[in-house]
Amino acid sequence: LGGGYKLPKMAYLRYRGNSCFDWQYYMSSNSDLKGAFASVTDAWEHVVTLGAFEGRLHRFTCPMPVHTQ
């Protein structure tokens, strides 16, 4: 099974996408990560694969997209 329990949360984060990811908030709320990432994309991958499961604070700057049929 491995990390199967992570899949729903990872899918949600990937659905939200990195265009609305508030990386400045992520970095300021998690000061131990200062200088750990070379790019915003690196910070995004960290929150999706590790940060969200470590209980690190993160947020998005735009509302959740609503899809209608």
Side-chain angles (χ1 to χ4, degrees), residues 18-39:
N18 67 350
S19 63
C20 293
F21 171 58
D22 188 346
W23 65 274
Q24 292 173 320
Y25 175 81
Y26 188 63
M27 298 307 294
S28 67
S29 298
N30 301 286
S31 59
D32 61 312
L33 297 177
K34 185 175 182 176
F37 309 112
S39 69

